[in-house]
Amino acid sequence: MIVARTGNEAMAEAMRQINPDVVAAYPITPATEIVQHFASYVADGLVTTEYVPAESEHSALSACIGAAAAGARVMTATAAQGLALMHEMLFIASGMRLPIVLCLVNRALSSPINIHCDHSDSLASRDSGWLQIFTENPQEAYDTTIMAVKIAEEILLPVMVTTDGFIISHGMERVELIDDDKVPEWLGERKAPYTLLDVDNPITIGMLDLQDYYFEHKRQEIEAMNNALPVIEKVQKDFGDTFGRYYPIVDEYRMEDAEVAVLVMGSTGGTGKVAVDRMRKKGKKVGLVRCRVYRPFPRERMLKAITKVKVLGIMDRADTLSTLGGHLYNDCRSILYESEARPLLKNYIYGLGGRDISIEEIETVFEQLLEIKERGRVDKEIVYYGVRGE
Amino acid sequence: MVLLEIRWHGRGGQGAKTAALLFADAAVETGKYIQAFPEYGPERMGAPVFAFNRLSDEPILQHCGIKNPDIVVVLDSTLMETIDVTEGLKEDGILLVNTQKTSKEIREQLKIKSEKTRIYVVDASKIAKEILKMDIPNTPMLGALIKVSKLLEFEPMLESVRKRLEHKFPNRPDVVENNIKAIIRAYEEVKE
């Protein structure tokens, strides 16, 4: 069925069709609508979910953790400060290997207080052991939310699916919904290998784990993350074979013969593709790479994509406040260390706090990258793009 | 159809965002690709707000703001005293205003020189007050937009709006019917 949906509506529809056993949440702009719509599905009897309106995000994720440990299929949604307040529990969820799916609407972290999009919230949770998948538009947000359930339950790690706050969360687009009965059919039931409620096979979860075994358990968790990419790929292929929409780990756009490219995440992918088309019309060989799966970092695929070009502009919608530039920039510099082919890199930190990034601005980035290619060197590696005073 | 961009001007509470969403919803039903998005500032009742639409026969990829709209819809004519509603409007674009004035008076007030810019007016507030019993001019302006833009067929659009409103007001069939009446009347009354 083809409908018009905002990113939030699309994610709520996905949750309705998934019909999780438990949803525990606390509202926060711009993610509120997701759980607001979902609460109405609960009230209208469209889902059989046990809905827990918690008194904070910390409590919401705690309730999710308890329910997931009991074997339930569990989901929640939040943004920015909400995710920050969950921070302690994020590590508990991943450490306990609980396949919770979190719809995250990317919003700038305070202070200064701001409700609009940047990626500082999810990227501040980068090392929490959650998979992170950044989506470009409402359709992808809907599809990925459904896929995330399957991915999480197979890997036994929690998954964050993100949309860009307001730009996608409150932006309405054409979305093709899957038939209601097909989603649970494709997902099947969660089959937890161990659950707290299995009294015949009692287990302990979240226990004290000191010098004797903590390291082994952590090592297993790291291994789960190391092995996640093939699972994601398999689920994406299965989803595509079943429903006709295929998604990549790393999205490459007109990269075949590109000489320079930009690397982006989230909704800027779409804007950047239009900029690529315009540059191509002018005869400029440019391309775009979009990092869709950010954690685990798709080392091999990313290398394959970015080493096709001579100059890469890495556009980060957050800064690490470390003198080292943005997150993607650091990841890419790291994977390029052993690479024989090494494009020149320039880091553009842009769009903080929801500052718009236009097609023309990305075209200007391409022009600068082409200049760098001619000159053969980068004068300033990290620039702040679209900010006063630069 | 090439990509078409619309900017809605309103005041918080007048339904600019809802109108943009209703328009998008109706366009999708006729097979178009669409976007509808608000511009959220420090929003308060009565403060100037914007909402936007994109419309195309092809998938729409960009997610940036709209700077050069093809059509500008003004829900509240008092906004024109403080905001340049024609900012960035394409020269051969359309300006649609909820006002008691004539399009000639609007052209003079806004000092629009190009004859290529088409100006349409409708007293949507009067229609809203008479039929909806309050000054919420968004749905009548939607009817007027359909008329002047010639982008969508009227009947399927009405059906789509009816569905969306029934979803929004499940226990208020009177609200749904009155909105439909207001849309039809504005569709008939809008003039150049």
Side-chain angles (χ1 to χ4, degrees):
Chain A
M1 186 171 56
I2 291 169
V3 294
R5 292 286 183 274
T6 65
N8 280 345
E9 288 171 347
M11 281 178 141
E13 292 272 19
M15 288 174 70
R16 176 180 62 75
Q17 294 178 321
I18 292 163
N19 191 11
D21 299 307
V22 174
V23 167
Y26 186 85
I28 181 167
T29 302
T32 299
E33 288 174 338
I34 300 174
V35 286
Q36 176 191 331
H37 289 304
F38 191 78
S40 72
Y41 301 147
V42 175
D44 294 344
L46 299 176
V47 291
T48 54
T49 305
E50 182 72 31
Y51 183 74
V52 185
E55 75 275 25
S56 76
E57 286 87 353
H58 189 281
S59 304
L61 190 54
S62 300
C64 288
I65 287 168
R73 182 171 279 165
V74 181
M75 299 182 77
T76 186
T78 193
Q81 308 311 118
L83 186 66
L85 189 51
M86 284 181 178
H87 194 67
E88 179 190 8
M89 304 317 289
L90 290 176
F91 292 76
I92 313 281
S94 56
M96 285 165 62
R97 306 291 303 278
L98 301 174
I100 298 163
V101 172
L102 187 156
C103 297
L104 180 79
V105 180
N106 283 122
R107 160 184 157 179
L109 280 172
S110 300
S111 177
I113 195 162
N114 180 294
I115 55 171
H116 290 275
C117 172
D118 67 34
H119 296 159
S120 55
D121 52 357
S122 44
L123 295 178
S125 309
R126 185 188 63 180
D127 303 338
S128 63
W130 284 60
L131 280 72
Q132 294 195 2
I133 308 178
F134 284 73
T135 69
E136 182 179 312
N137 53 45
Q139 180 74 63
E140 190 179 329
Y142 166 79
D143 291 337
T144 306
T145 302
I146 294 167
M147 284 188 267
V149 173
K150 208 165 206 176
I151 294 166
E153 289 175 9
E154 182 155 345
I155 302 170
L156 290 180
L157 279 177
V159 180
M160 247 174 241
V161 179
T162 84
T163 61
D164 280 355
F166 286 105
I167 302 166
I168 300 302
S169 69
H170 288 63
M172 181 179 266
E173 291 187 18
R174 175 184 159 121
V175 175
E176 190 173 342
L177 299 180
I178 300 165
D179 293 342
D180 282 354
D181 55 331
K182 293 285 189 306
V183 173
E185 192 183 304
W186 184 71
L187 287 173
E189 282 207 11
R190 181 185 168 200
K191 293 189 190 70
Y194 313 98
T195 81
L196 277 179
L197 296 184
D198 182 359
V199 289
D200 295 328
N201 299 290
I203 55 163
T204 176
I205 282 186
M207 68 298 177
L208 189 67
D209 199 11
L210 300 178
Q211 302 96 320
D212 49 358
Y213 271 106
Y214 178 93
F215 202 169
E216 281 72 22
H217 289 138
K218 216 63 199 170
R219 181 69 187 83
Q220 289 181 354
E221 186 191 339
I222 295 163
E223 193 62 8
M225 187 63 91
N226 288 347
N227 293 331
L229 277 173
V231 176
I232 300 170
E233 198 147 55
K234 187 187 77 181
V235 172
Q236 288 183 160
K237 181 170 185 310
D238 187 25
F239 184 89
D241 291 345
T242 311
F243 302 117
R245 287 187 294 277
Y246 291 88
Y247 289 94
I249 302 276
V250 173
D251 182 11
E252 294 186 36
Y253 189 72
R254 304 189 82 164
M255 286 295 289
E256 306 77 36
D257 60 341
E259 293 172 340
V260 307
V262 293
L263 169 62
V264 298
M265 289 204 288
S267 66
T268 306
T271 312
K273 287 169 188 171
V274 178
V276 169
D277 288 346
R278 289 192 186 175
M279 295 297 287
R280 286 274 178 176
K281 267 192 190 144
K282 291 185 235 168
K284 310 283 171 82
K285 288 186 175 171
V286 307
L288 176 141
V289 180
R290 180 173 64 97
C291 184
R292 185 176 122 80
V293 176
Y294 178 69
R295 282 293 179 271
F297 196 72
R299 184 192 181 104
E300 298 307 323
R301 267 174 204 77
M302 186 60 76
L303 262 180
K304 201 170 149 227
I306 64 178
T307 53
K308 286 177 182 170
V309 294
K310 297 196 174 67
V311 187
L312 181 70
I314 300 176
M315 299 185 68
D316 272 299
R317 204 164 194 153
D319 190 85
T320 57
L321 293 101
S322 64
T323 75
L324 295 175
H327 301 76
L328 271 175
Y329 179 63
N330 280 280
D331 291 323
C332 287
R333 278 172 79 98
S334 168
I335 61 170
L336 284 167
Y337 189 77
E338 289 99 1
S339 172
E340 282 189 19
R342 255 190 263 174
L344 294 172
L345 302 183
K346 189 173 176 88
N347 191 196
Y348 293 84
I349 310 285
Y350 78 101
L352 303 194
R355 174 86 29 104
D356 192 30
I357 181 87
S358 67
I359 299 165
E360 294 77 16
E361 283 169 314
I362 301 175
E363 284 182 277
T364 303
V365 168
F366 280 127
E367 296 290 357
Q368 292 178 1
L369 299 177
L370 287 164
E371 269 175 44
I372 291 170
K373 188 190 132 243
E374 288 309 309
R375 258 185 290 136
R377 65 187 159 81
V378 181
D379 286 334
K380 199 173 180 194
E381 285 88 3
I382 303 166
V383 293
Y384 295 85
Y385 193 59
V387 64
R388 292 182 183 90
E390 294 278 318
Chain B
M1 180 186 29
V2 289
L3 181 68
L4 190 124
E5 297 179 320
I6 303 173
R7 182 174 70 218
W8 298 76
H9 289 271
R11 293 188 183 276
Q14 284 182 324
K17 178 193 163 194
T18 303
L21 294 180
L22 285 170
F23 181 75
D25 221 7
V28 159
E29 299 238 332
T30 63
K32 305 277 187 207
Y33 288 85
I34 54 92
Q35 286 182 350
F37 53 99
E39 178 147 304
Y40 284 93
E43 195 146 310
R44 331 172 272 292
M45 188 80 95
V49 295
F50 307 91
F52 302 91
N53 283 119
R54 282 193 178 98
L55 187 69
S56 176
D57 290 324
E58 308 283 323
I60 303 166
L61 299 179
Q62 58 263 56
H63 291 109
C64 47
I66 289 173
K67 287 178 192 145
N68 298 109
D70 300 272
I71 301 175
V72 168
V73 185
V74 182
L75 294 184
D76 185 329
S77 60
T78 64
L79 285 168
M80 298 191 300
E81 291 158 21
T82 49
I83 290 176
D84 179 9
V85 296
T86 61
E87 189 183 355
L89 175 64
K90 286 184 184 151
E91 197 192 344
D92 59 351
I94 292 175
L95 176 67
L96 170 62
V97 187
N98 167 23
T99 178
Q100 299 171 355
K101 292 181 182 170
T102 65
S103 59
K104 188 160 173 285
E105 286 169 327
I106 297 292
R107 188 179 289 279
E108 280 160 14
Q109 182 188 339
L110 298 179
K111 300 184 178 66
I112 296 172
K113 297 205 177 65
S114 175
E115 290 297 320
K116 285 186 193 162
T117 311
R118 283 165 293 159
I119 300 169
Y120 294 89
V121 291
V122 61
D123 195 347
S125 287
K126 186 174 160 220
I127 296 171
K129 279 186 270 190
E130 284 180 15
I131 300 179
L132 304 171
K133 309 296 177 205
M134 54 182 160
D135 188 0
I136 306 281
N138 64 343
T139 47
M141 286 303 274
L142 183 62
L145 173 66
I146 301 293
K147 178 76 167 279
V148 305
S149 67
K150 304 182 180 70
L151 291 171
L152 304 176
E153 284 182 58
F154 190 56
E155 291 299 329
M157 188 280 298
L158 268 189
E159 270 322 293
S160 161
V161 171
R162 187 192 299 276
K163 264 196 272 176
R164 189 91 185 174
L165 290 175
E166 278 169 355
H167 184 72
K168 198 168 174 176
F169 303 102
N171 305 314
R172 295 293 306 275
D174 54 319
V175 171
V176 177
E177 277 318 307
N178 284 339
N179 272 287
I180 295 293
K181 269 189 216 162
I183 291 172
I184 294 171
R185 204 170 128 194
Y187 182 86
E188 287 164 354
E189 289 184 9
V190 65
K191 56 183 185 292
E192 191 154 8

